Amino acid sequence: MALLLGFRHLGRPLLWRDELATWSATTRSLGHLWGLLGNVDAVSGAYYVFLHGWTAVFGDSPVALRTPSVLAVGVAAGLTAALGKRLFGARAGLWAGLLFALVPAVLRYAQEARSYGMVTAAAVLATWQLVRVLDCKPEWSPRRMRLEWLGYAGALVLTGLLHLVALAVLTSHLWLVWTRRRRAWRGLLAATVLALAVLSPLLIAGRAESGRQINWIQRPNLLAFPGMIHDLTFAWPISIALLVLALVACTTRDGLRYLPVPFLPIAAVWIASQGSNSYWVERYLLFTVPLWTVLAGAGAERLVRARWTAPVAVAAVAALAFTGLRAQSSPWSHTGTDWRAAARTISAGYRPGDAMVPERGGASVYMLDLGLDYYLPTRVHPKDLFLAKTAVARDDLMPTECAVPTACLDGAPRIWVVTFGHAHDPLAGLPKSQQAALGAQYSVVKIDHVKGLTIGLLAHV
């Protein structure tokens, strides 16, 4: 189910800012990629290196960029079912896996060229492996136990390599050890220390770069919890349905015992976000959704004794999810900026020798230049007029522009100016110095508007 939903219309949504950053990073040489990670986005390094090899084989189309995420979410769905089976039985596991696949937010990040689908699979794998160790058989030798704990530590390392915030799943693991097999705390401690030791260079690098990468995230207050409950599914009906099923699961001793498991990582991230950096973003917490649906799957199985009621409950959730799932595969589910239409407009009127000025400045984080670069055909190469140093040359995701724009005008006969929003003056979104430089030598001959963008064509006076 997760794979069917994920591959359906996989290439339809336009790439958004973070996916464009992924494309920029992973299509560089390994040397340039290493230089980038030394300045920014080190916490995404493992994902970038993997996708670098992937795109070398399968290309950089939207489908190629997003396919690893779809596959990872498929793995996560299967592991969710396996985890549910270990905790509550096979049928409850089946409902848990199906419920996970039907969450609109899961589909959203299955169809995104970022690491969130992979880290969700890694976190569920670590949780499943921990429960496996806690349920160890009497005949397992000490050597076998050490290998099993080593496997758990490896899953933790994989989780941290893909996204450090997902290590908050350790709070759930501590609860599982406390409630399921307390004497296993030594193994949990040893595996955790080993994993953190391996991840320590990344933890240090992530801390050093955090001021730039996540300084935009606001510190949450207590009122942020209801919003997060919605954002983890993208739909209130789904969130409420899963909560109700989770509460139904609490009518059993095991259900009540495991109730804190999905919520402890959320609480841990909220507490951590009260410090110098905030991590309160729904996609950072996507890894908690499988834990939530495992409890909901147990509730679906527990609903009443009749065998047909659990499938009916899951079908009801599917019906509630239909609109949300459909919305996730629209062209605008990722971004409200139509890079593709802007690229078509420029391509249709392009002449050799044309230049281009994309809006950067304070809007540089929205990757307008990368959006155009990605969707412009290879035959169209307008010169980036005010570009002083490329992002690749800077080992960064952002380029630098000419400090004195008038010094960078090279007499291009025509210039395409692309800015955000719908404006009557296509120069309005540019810095004042660039407006003055262009206005002195060029006049606007054409203005086009596409979703989220204004495209102006300037000709030399």
Side-chain angles (χ1 to χ4, degrees), residues 1-2 5 73 76-78 80-81 84 88 91-107 232-233 237-249 286 288-303 309-322 325:
M1 180 65 73
L5 292 172
V73 166
T80 299
F88 297 106
R91 282 163 55 89
L94 173 61
W95 311 137
L98 286 171
L99 289 170
F100 172 78
L102 292 169
V103 172
V106 170
L107 174 59
L232 283 175
T233 67
I238 304 303
S239 295
I240 292 172
L242 293 179
L243 282 172
V244 168
L245 290 173
L247 291 175
V248 171
L286 185 72
T288 64
V289 174
L291 307 178
W292 193 354
T293 60
V294 164
L295 205 58
E301 181 63 15
R302 176 67 178 173
L303 203 54
T309 52
V312 167
V314 175
V317 173
L320 292 172
F322 177 78
L325 292 171

XYZ file of all heavy atoms in Angstrom, residues 1-2 5 73 76-78 80-81 84 88 91-107 232-233 237-249 286 288-303 309-322 325:
520
model
N 0.820 -1.199 0.000
C 0.000 0.000 0.000
C 0.860 1.258 0.000
O 0.613 2.209 -0.757
C -0.926 0.014 1.225
C -1.828 1.236 1.320
S -3.037 1.343 -0.007
C -4.156 0.035 0.497
N 1.902 1.260 0.851
C 2.787 2.426 0.899
C 3.493 2.637 -0.431
O 3.640 3.782 -0.906
C 3.806 2.259 2.025
N 0.895 3.902 -3.182
C 0.588 5.315 -3.009
C 1.809 6.185 -3.324
O 1.684 7.247 -3.931
C 0.109 5.577 -1.581
C -1.243 4.986 -1.197
C -1.503 5.154 0.300
C -2.362 5.644 -2.006
N 9.944 4.438 2.708
C 8.645 4.450 3.378
C 7.976 3.081 3.249
O 7.289 2.624 4.171
C 7.758 5.575 2.816
C 6.300 5.400 3.238
C 8.277 6.925 3.303
N 9.561 1.147 5.874
C 9.035 1.596 7.175
C 7.662 1.012 7.445
O 7.349 0.633 8.584
C 8.986 3.126 7.211
N 6.817 0.926 6.417
C 5.482 0.349 6.594
C 5.578 -1.117 6.986
O 4.873 -1.590 7.891
C 4.669 0.521 5.310
N 6.467 -1.860 6.311
C 6.647 -3.265 6.658
C 7.198 -3.439 8.066
O 6.752 -4.315 8.816
N 6.826 -1.339 10.505
C 5.760 -0.961 11.432
C 4.845 -2.152 11.704
O 4.458 -2.420 12.848
C 4.948 0.215 10.859
O 5.808 1.333 10.678
C 3.804 0.607 11.783
N 4.515 -2.866 10.640
C 3.693 -4.069 10.809
C 4.424 -5.117 11.646
O 3.835 -5.769 12.520
C 3.318 -4.639 9.446
N 4.399 -3.987 15.258
C 3.067 -4.207 15.819
C 2.812 -5.670 16.117
O 2.182 -6.014 17.131
N 1.778 -6.615 19.763
C 0.341 -6.836 19.961
C -0.236 -8.006 19.168
O -1.419 -8.278 19.267
C -0.435 -5.569 19.584
C -0.118 -4.387 20.445
C 0.659 -3.354 19.961
C -0.589 -4.308 21.748
C 0.958 -2.247 20.754
C -0.303 -3.211 22.553
C 0.483 -2.178 22.048
N -2.345 -9.650 13.584
C -3.427 -8.847 12.997
C -3.291 -7.373 13.378
O -3.467 -6.487 12.534
C -4.787 -9.396 13.438
C -5.223 -10.647 12.681
C -6.347 -11.368 13.414
N -7.482 -10.493 13.686
C -8.512 -10.298 12.846
N -8.511 -10.908 11.669
N -9.504 -9.528 13.183
N -2.947 -7.097 14.619
C -2.723 -5.710 15.037
C -1.571 -5.093 14.251
O -1.607 -3.913 13.886
C -2.439 -5.642 16.535
N -0.540 -5.899 13.982
C 0.575 -5.411 13.174
C 0.145 -5.059 11.768
O 0.593 -4.057 11.198
N -0.724 -5.897 11.192
C -1.237 -5.611 9.854
C -1.968 -4.274 9.821
O -1.741 -3.447 8.941
C -2.169 -6.731 9.406
C -2.918 -6.503 8.080
C -1.944 -6.338 6.926
C -3.888 -7.633 7.813
N -2.841 -4.053 10.796
C -3.575 -2.777 10.826
C -2.615 -1.611 11.048
O -2.789 -0.540 10.449
C -4.632 -2.796 11.933
C -5.522 -4.007 11.959
C -5.914 -4.711 13.060
C -6.139 -4.668 10.839
N -6.711 -5.761 12.702
C -6.867 -5.776 11.339
C -6.111 -4.462 9.461
C -7.582 -6.636 10.524
C -6.827 -5.326 8.630
C -7.544 -6.394 9.164
N -1.599 -1.808 11.874
C -0.629 -0.744 12.132
C 0.093 -0.333 10.849
O 0.248 0.857 10.558
C 0.380 -1.194 13.185
N 0.537 -1.327 10.069
C 1.234 -1.025 8.826
C 0.343 -0.320 7.813
O 0.761 0.621 7.145
N -0.914 -0.779 7.707
C -1.852 -0.145 6.778
C -2.182 1.282 7.210
O -2.244 2.193 6.380
C -3.127 -0.971 6.672
C -3.003 -2.270 5.877
C -4.281 -3.104 6.023
C -2.723 -1.986 4.406
N -2.394 1.477 8.504
C -2.688 2.824 8.995
C -1.519 3.766 8.722
O -1.714 4.913 8.333
C -2.997 2.789 10.491
C -4.339 2.158 10.878
C -4.415 1.956 12.390
C -5.506 3.033 10.405
N -0.294 3.287 8.915
C 0.885 4.096 8.623
C 0.906 4.516 7.154
O 1.152 5.674 6.819
C 2.155 3.319 8.973
C 3.418 3.999 8.541
C 3.938 5.055 9.262
C 4.096 3.567 7.411
C 5.112 5.689 8.850
C 5.268 4.182 6.992
C 5.777 5.248 7.718
N 0.633 3.559 6.269
C 0.669 3.851 4.833
C -0.397 4.860 4.424
O -0.238 5.555 3.411
C 0.505 2.555 4.043
N -1.481 4.949 5.189
C -2.606 5.808 4.826
C -2.499 7.220 5.383
O -3.345 8.062 5.080
C -3.915 5.175 5.308
C -4.337 3.892 4.593
C -5.493 3.221 5.324
C -4.715 4.174 3.137
N -1.495 7.506 6.185
C -1.344 8.854 6.749
C -0.872 9.815 5.653
O 0.172 9.573 5.031
C -0.351 8.843 7.924
C -0.042 10.268 8.395
C -0.904 8.019 9.078
N -1.610 10.900 5.379
C -1.210 11.818 4.294
C 0.202 12.377 4.449
O 0.915 12.539 3.454
C -2.264 12.928 4.375
C -3.471 12.260 4.960
C -2.927 11.261 5.935
N 0.632 12.674 5.674
C 1.979 13.209 5.877
C 3.040 12.188 5.477
O 4.119 12.555 4.992
C 2.175 13.628 7.329
N 2.763 10.916 5.674
C 3.701 9.870 5.271
C 3.863 9.873 3.757
O 4.981 9.794 3.231
C 3.225 8.494 5.777
C 4.050 7.367 5.153
C 3.315 8.438 7.297
N 2.746 9.991 3.030
C 2.826 10.061 1.574
C 3.585 11.310 1.146
O 4.385 11.275 0.204
C 1.419 10.070 0.971
C 1.346 10.282 -0.545
C 2.112 9.197 -1.286
C -0.105 10.328 -1.011
N 1.536 16.121 12.248
C 2.144 14.811 12.038
C 1.347 13.950 11.067
O 1.861 12.955 10.551
C 2.290 14.076 13.375
C 3.446 14.544 14.256
C 3.410 13.845 15.598
C 4.787 14.303 13.568
N 0.095 14.309 10.806
C -0.708 13.566 9.833
C -1.158 14.440 8.668
O -1.518 13.932 7.616
C -1.965 12.970 10.484
O -2.836 14.026 10.885
C -1.606 12.112 11.684
N -8.970 14.905 10.965
C -9.739 13.651 11.079
C -8.846 12.427 11.292
O -9.194 11.532 12.073
C -10.496 13.564 9.751
C -10.612 14.987 9.300
C -9.347 15.642 9.732
N -7.685 12.397 10.615
C -6.772 11.259 10.776
C -6.146 11.284 12.165
O -6.058 10.250 12.843
C -5.678 11.286 9.696
C -6.304 11.302 8.304
C -4.750 10.081 9.847
C -7.215 10.149 8.039
N -5.714 12.475 12.604
C -5.115 12.574 13.938
C -6.103 12.125 15.011
O -5.748 11.361 15.924
C -4.671 14.019 14.202
O -3.635 14.405 13.325
N -7.322 12.580 14.902
C -8.332 12.216 15.902
C -8.640 10.721 15.849
O -8.755 10.053 16.886
C -9.607 13.052 15.685
C -9.316 14.528 16.007
C -10.751 12.538 16.553
C -10.434 15.467 15.643
N -8.758 10.185 14.632
C -9.045 8.748 14.499
C -7.937 7.907 15.113
O -8.198 6.929 15.831
C -9.228 8.393 13.020
N -6.677 8.281 14.870
C -5.560 7.528 15.434
C -5.524 7.660 16.955
O -5.224 6.687 17.671
C -4.240 8.002 14.825
C -4.043 7.713 13.333
C -2.703 8.254 12.858
C -4.139 6.223 13.033
N -5.831 8.849 17.451
C -5.871 9.035 18.905
C -6.968 8.189 19.540
O -6.770 7.572 20.600
C -6.080 10.512 19.238
C -4.850 11.416 19.132
C -5.250 12.880 19.291
C -3.809 11.035 20.180
N -8.124 8.160 18.901
C -9.232 7.359 19.426
C -8.852 5.881 19.446
O -9.079 5.177 20.447
C -10.508 7.591 18.596
C -11.578 6.560 18.944
C -11.040 9.003 18.826
N -8.269 5.402 18.365
C -7.859 3.996 18.316
C -6.779 3.707 19.361
O -6.757 2.622 19.966
C -7.362 3.647 16.915
C -8.430 3.593 15.819
C -7.782 3.412 14.451
C -9.420 2.467 16.092
N -5.872 4.674 19.559
C -4.845 4.485 20.585
C -5.466 4.390 21.973
O -5.046 3.575 22.813
C -3.840 5.633 20.534
N -6.491 5.198 22.226
C -7.177 5.140 23.522
C -7.922 3.824 23.690
O -7.982 3.267 24.786
C -8.137 6.324 23.652
C -7.465 7.701 23.795
C -8.508 8.804 23.784
C -6.630 7.757 25.069
N -8.476 3.314 22.582
C -9.131 2.003 22.641
C -8.112 0.930 23.024
O -8.401 0.011 23.798
C -9.806 1.674 21.298
C -10.295 0.227 21.286
C -10.956 2.628 21.024
N -6.896 1.061 22.467
C -5.848 0.094 22.810
C -5.531 0.121 24.298
O -5.111 -0.897 24.875
C -4.581 0.391 22.006
N 8.564 13.030 12.003
C 7.828 12.026 11.236
C 8.112 10.614 11.746
O 7.249 9.735 11.657
C 8.194 12.133 9.750
C 7.415 11.232 8.794
C 5.980 11.727 8.631
C 8.106 11.165 7.422
N 7.985 9.441 14.517
C 7.089 9.005 15.595
C 5.772 8.440 15.065
O 5.048 7.772 15.818
C 6.766 10.168 16.550
O 6.031 11.190 15.846
C 8.043 10.784 17.121
N 5.457 8.695 13.805
C 4.168 8.247 13.259
C 4.025 6.725 13.314
O 2.958 6.214 13.678
C 3.956 8.790 11.835
C 2.679 8.214 11.211
C 3.875 10.324 11.861
N 5.054 5.929 12.967
C 4.884 4.470 13.094
C 4.579 4.031 14.520
O 3.783 3.103 14.722
C 6.237 3.914 12.627
C 6.826 4.986 11.785
C 6.350 6.274 12.363
N 5.192 4.666 15.512
C 4.918 4.306 16.905
C 3.465 4.587 17.248
O 2.817 3.835 17.983
C 5.846 5.094 17.837
C 7.348 4.996 17.537
C 8.139 5.856 18.494
C 7.805 3.548 17.600
N 2.963 5.663 16.693
C 1.570 6.041 16.906
C 0.631 5.029 16.256
O -0.352 4.593 16.845
C 1.381 7.435 16.313
C 0.121 8.134 16.672
C -0.930 7.642 17.380
C -0.215 9.479 16.343
N -1.903 8.592 17.500
C -1.492 9.731 16.875
C 0.421 10.493 15.649
C -2.137 10.949 16.723
C -0.211 11.707 15.509
C -1.479 11.927 16.048
N 0.933 4.642 15.000
C 0.028 3.730 14.294
C 0.111 2.310 14.847
O -0.842 1.543 14.701
C 0.314 3.724 12.779
O 1.656 3.314 12.530
C 0.088 5.104 12.180
N 1.237 1.937 15.477
C 1.300 0.630 16.141
C 0.269 0.574 17.260
O -0.472 -0.414 17.406
C 2.720 0.367 16.688
C 2.703 -0.775 17.709
C 3.664 0.017 15.549
N 0.192 1.637 18.038
C -0.798 1.685 19.115
C -2.216 1.732 18.544
O -3.129 1.072 19.045
C -0.538 2.904 19.997
C -1.036 2.849 21.443
C -0.435 1.660 22.179
C -0.705 4.150 22.161
N -2.392 2.503 17.459
C -3.717 2.571 16.826
C -4.108 1.232 16.224
O -5.285 0.840 16.253
C -3.722 3.661 15.761
N -3.134 0.507 15.665
C -3.428 -0.823 15.128
C -3.903 -1.773 16.206
O -4.815 -2.584 15.986
N -3.293 -1.668 17.381
C -3.757 -2.487 18.504
C -5.166 -2.100 18.905
O -5.990 -2.959 19.251
C -2.804 -2.317 19.687
N -5.473 -0.806 18.833
C -6.827 -0.356 19.140
C -7.840 -0.852 18.133
O -8.958 -1.251 18.495
N -7.459 -0.848 16.842
C -8.367 -1.356 15.807
C -8.684 -2.828 16.038
O -9.832 -3.274 15.887
C -7.741 -1.160 14.426
N -7.692 -3.588 16.427
C -7.900 -5.008 16.686
C -8.737 -5.227 17.947
O -9.488 -6.203 18.048
C -6.543 -5.717 16.817
C -6.617 -7.199 17.073
C -7.274 -7.968 15.930
O -7.428 -7.418 14.817
O -7.649 -9.136 16.150
N -8.627 -4.308 18.881
C -9.305 -4.453 20.162
C -10.736 -3.932 20.119
O -11.532 -4.221 21.017
C -8.509 -3.675 21.223
C -9.106 -3.618 22.616
C -9.115 -4.976 23.271
N -9.656 -4.901 24.625
C -9.910 -5.949 25.382
N -9.634 -7.161 24.953
N -10.416 -5.801 26.602
N -11.096 -3.194 19.070
C -12.317 -2.385 19.052
C -13.519 -3.134 19.612
O -14.168 -2.689 20.535
C -12.588 -1.903 17.621
C -13.451 -0.669 17.488
C -12.902 0.484 18.296
C -13.587 -0.274 16.038
N -14.760 -5.922 12.476
C -14.767 -4.519 12.900
C -13.406 -3.843 12.705
O -13.347 -2.651 12.410
C -15.175 -4.402 14.372
O -14.352 -5.281 15.142
C -16.636 -4.753 14.554
N -12.311 -4.571 12.891
C -10.992 -3.966 12.686
C -10.797 -3.530 11.226
O -10.387 -2.392 10.965
C -9.892 -4.916 13.126
N -11.088 -4.390 10.225
C -10.999 -3.914 8.841
C -11.904 -2.717 8.566
O -11.527 -1.819 7.813
C -11.431 -5.138 8.020
C -11.139 -6.302 8.883
C -11.380 -5.837 10.286
N -13.083 -2.718 9.182
C -13.981 -1.576 8.991
C -13.349 -0.305 9.558
O -13.429 0.770 8.961
C -15.356 -1.855 9.640
C -16.183 -0.578 9.720
C -16.108 -2.914 8.847
N -12.706 -0.402 10.721
C -12.050 0.758 11.323
C -10.932 1.278 10.425
O -10.798 2.487 10.210
C -11.498 0.391 12.704
N -10.126 0.373 9.877
C -9.047 0.783 8.978
C -9.619 1.391 7.697
O -9.108 2.392 7.183
C -8.131 -0.411 8.656
C -7.080 -0.020 7.627
C -7.458 -0.918 9.931
N -10.700 0.791 7.171
C -11.344 1.341 5.973
C -11.909 2.728 6.249
O -11.860 3.616 5.387
C -12.460 0.401 5.507
N -12.424 2.944 7.474
C -12.939 4.268 7.826
C -11.807 5.296 7.841
O -11.964 6.426 7.363
C -13.626 4.216 9.187
N -10.654 4.915 8.367
C -9.501 5.816 8.346
C -9.073 6.098 6.910
O -8.731 7.236 6.554
C -8.332 5.220 9.157
C -7.077 6.066 8.985
C -8.706 5.118 10.625
N -9.100 5.072 6.055
C -8.755 5.269 4.645
C -9.695 6.266 3.986
O -9.273 7.113 3.198
C -8.783 3.928 3.908
N -10.993 6.166 4.306
C -11.963 7.108 3.751
C -11.683 8.528 4.228
O -11.747 9.491 3.450
C -13.380 6.686 4.139
N -11.344 8.668 5.511
C -11.004 9.991 6.040
C -9.731 10.535 5.399
O -9.573 11.742 5.225
C -10.819 9.912 7.555
C -12.072 9.620 8.390
C -11.688 9.381 9.844
C -13.072 10.767 8.280
N -8.818 9.628 5.043
C -7.529 10.043 4.487
C -7.588 10.342 3.003
O -6.648 10.939 2.458
C -6.490 8.948 4.739
N -8.672 9.962 2.322
C -8.709 10.026 0.862
C -8.391 11.423 0.339
O -7.541 11.600 -0.545
C -10.073 9.561 0.348
C -10.217 9.661 -1.143
C -9.638 8.707 -1.968
C -10.897 10.721 -1.728
C -9.753 8.796 -3.351
C -11.009 10.819 -3.101
C -10.434 9.856 -3.914
N -4.734 12.356 1.011
C -3.811 11.623 0.144
C -3.838 12.167 -1.274
O -2.797 12.305 -1.922
C -4.179 10.135 0.144
C -3.942 9.381 1.454
C -4.554 7.989 1.384
C -2.444 9.291 1.764
